[in-house]
Amino acid sequence: MTSWITICDTCRRNEHDENTKAGTPDGERFAEMIEAAAQGVGTVETRRHSCLMGCNRSCNVAIQGEGNLNYTLGEFEPSEEAAAAVVEYARKHSESESGQVPYREWPQPIKGHFVTRHPPLPTSN
């Protein structure tokens, strides 16, 4: 099953340096890194969304899959290590029947970054 990484591309961390990449938002830089890390990972897709409304926890991503538990993660520094960890977690999420990944399998760079968990949407009324 496919897991989607939805990346907030407008996030700016409090420490954001307006001179970094000519004022490019941290979320946009993080999106670029996640997209690059996800290339070739067949069960992971990415998309960008402007504002996931987690501004106090900038560099937010949502990991979602049909019929699975869904997660929001935040407070990342945009780095290739964090991006690779998000993609690795999404890959494991896609392989799970419920979307739940055992803690012992979480990549270290995502530990402490979980914000919310959402149950799957109902399939009927």
Side-chain angles (χ1 to χ4, degrees), residues 41-78:
V41 181
T43 58
V44 175
E45 296 284 342
T46 63
R47 65 182 181 164
R48 295 181 185 206
H49 186 78
S50 294
C51 195
L52 292 179
M53 296 183 74
C55 301
N56 289 339
R57 301 177 188 264
S58 61
C59 289
N60 295 286
V61 299
I63 298 178
Q64 305 161 292
E66 186 176 340
N68 280 351
L69 291 166
N70 300 292
Y71 299 90
T72 306
L73 294 83
E75 291 190 64
F76 287 104
E77 282 195 36

Side-chain angles (χ1 to χ4, degrees), residues 1-4 43-44 62-73 86-103 105-107 110 114 116-121:
M1 181 175 306
T2 298
S3 288
W4 283 86
T43 58
V44 175
I63 298 178
Q64 305 161 292
E66 186 176 340
N68 280 351
L69 291 166
N70 300 292
Y71 299 90
T72 306
L73 294 83
V86 167
V87 171
E88 178 63 15
Y89 184 85
R91 185 188 63 74
K92 291 175 182 289
H93 179 267
S94 73
E95 294 171 352
S96 169
E97 281 189 33
S98 67
Q100 190 167 10
V101 177
Y103 181 79
E105 294 181 24
W106 293 9
I110 67 159
F114 284 80
T116 61
R117 177 172 67 180
H118 304 270
L121 291 172

Side-chain angles (χ1 to χ4, degrees), residues 3-25:
S3 288
W4 283 86
I5 304 171
T6 303
I7 311 147
C8 178
D9 61 4
T10 55
C11 282
R12 291 187 187 273
R13 294 174 302 125
N14 288 338
E15 309 82 39
H16 177 78
D17 177 2
E18 289 297 324
N19 296 319
T20 303
K21 276 190 85 177
T24 302

